Amino acid sequence: MSQLLRQHAEQLFAHELEELKKQDNDKRPGNWMLSPQSVVTYLVGGKLKNGFEVSPKYIGNRRLIEIAVATLTTDRALLLYGLPGTAKSWVSEHLAAGVSGDSTLIIQGTAGTSEESVRYGWNYARLIAEGPSAGALVETPVMRAMKDGKIVRLEELTRIGADVQDTLITILSEKTLPVPELDMEVQAIKGFNVIATANNRDKGVNELSSALKRRFNTVILPLPGSIEEEIDIVRRRVESFEKVMELPAEPPALQEIRRIVTIFRELRSGVTLDGKTKIKIPTGTLSTAEAISVVNSGLSMAAYFGDGQVKAADLAASIIGTVIKDPVQDKLVWQEYLETVVKTRNDWSDIYRACRDL
């Protein structure tokens, strides 16, 4: 087994990508590793003609993935938008792996991301010694993607300052990156495109300019539509985590995953699943990604400080830590939910006691 803590998508699912490539008879755009149809199959899963099963990487509306893939075949970039924890980065990584066979060309957007991080930089020791030269130029992931005809990923685009965001306009519209210091330009070859992600709950959002918005096709990734869909997502991701970490614990019972997902969905929506009881909403997002994290933490607790079976006591601390972000407001919300909802459910007495004791 690989010693890597987390493999890139094209490493982890290399066997699936290779099998899809072998069976792929549809037309491929320039420099694409797979046809658009096969990229969609890689993302949403399915059975190939030879019976090979492709596992789903995204569980949700297939049409959204088809729109995203179709966008990448055009001259428009793709913006994956939505709440935190709706698998934007996950989908971005797998789209890049399916299209380019390489998901590693990535820029992480922050308030400190500079223009040089997007366009190009300089090796200042060589710049002083030689003056402006191709050897002194430091290529960014954007420049490498343009040269190689690959997908570049921009994570958290709206965290980047507006002036730096706008350096993308020429790249996206003209498909060229001028380097005036060397009196040259880098022109993108076929296969190049940009996948950006942004969330709509970020307090440090820098609104995209209208000029930049026009160059993106936006696909909104929603929260899972049904509880069964969300349970399936959590189960699959937890199984993957357990294999990588080689935990000496049994897979969590579906009942435990169902209870975590139920708690998160009810607190997110402000009403119990049966629609009978209204409840206050905490300040956190309580996303599917956070539900996965809670179950993973429970697995670790059971493996190293329990009997290897995930129980309510193994999950309680992570549930509380995830729900209570504001120590005053969220604590009141959680206590009310615990007493009015969790306590009244007969088969939830163990999780009620475990959370109350903490």
Side-chain angles (χ1 to χ4, degrees), residues 134-147:
L137 194 70
V138 177
E139 296 183 350
T140 63
V142 172
M143 183 177 279
R144 290 199 298 274
M146 294 177 76
K147 285 184 172 183

Side-chain angles (χ1 to χ4, degrees), residues 283-326:
T283 58
T285 55
L286 299 182
S287 66
T288 309
E290 289 167 302
I292 293 165
S293 178
V294 167
V295 180
N296 285 344
S297 296
L299 262 174
S300 295
M301 287 291 291
Y304 297 114
F305 303 102
D307 61 5
Q309 288 188 323
V310 179
K311 298 182 175 67
D314 301 314
L315 297 164
S318 292
I319 295 171
I320 294 170
T322 303
V323 173
I324 301 178
K325 300 300 184 188
D326 183 305

Side-chain angles (χ1 to χ4, degrees), residues 165-278:
Q165 288 177 9
D166 285 346
T167 63
L168 289 167
I169 292 175
T170 301
I171 295 168
L172 296 180
S173 59
E174 306 296 330
K175 300 297 185 286
T176 185
L177 177 53
V179 186
E181 296 91 339
L182 300 180
D183 193 25
M184 61 168 276
E185 64 179 6
V186 174
Q187 290 183 292
I189 69 170
K190 289 181 179 179
F192 167 75
N193 213 327
V194 175
I195 302 176
T197 66
N199 80 68
N200 56 359
R201 286 285 292 270
D202 196 329
K203 293 180 181 178
V205 165
N206 295 292
E207 185 68 27
L208 300 183
S209 66
S210 58
L212 192 55
K213 282 181 182 177
R214 288 197 303 272
R215 287 157 177 84
F216 280 101
N217 190 30
T218 302
V219 172
I220 298 173
L221 295 183
L223 290 164
S226 69
I227 186 169
E228 298 303 331
E229 191 176 282
E230 191 162 4
I231 288 169
D232 192 25
I233 294 168
V234 174
R235 179 185 63 80
R236 288 174 182 274
R237 293 292 296 277
V238 168
E239 284 176 358
S240 175
F241 168 82
E242 192 176 20
K243 287 177 185 176
V244 170
M245 301 306 293
E246 300 178 349
L247 293 175
E250 296 180 15
L254 204 59
Q255 175 200 4
E256 297 300 343
I257 294 177
R258 180 176 290 276
R259 291 200 293 191
I260 298 299
V261 171
T262 298
I263 289 169
F264 279 33
R265 288 182 74 88
E266 289 181 333
L267 286 171
R268 274 200 315 251
S269 63
V271 65
T272 52
L273 293 184
D274 59 12
K276 293 180 179 178
T277 307
K278 288 189 176 182

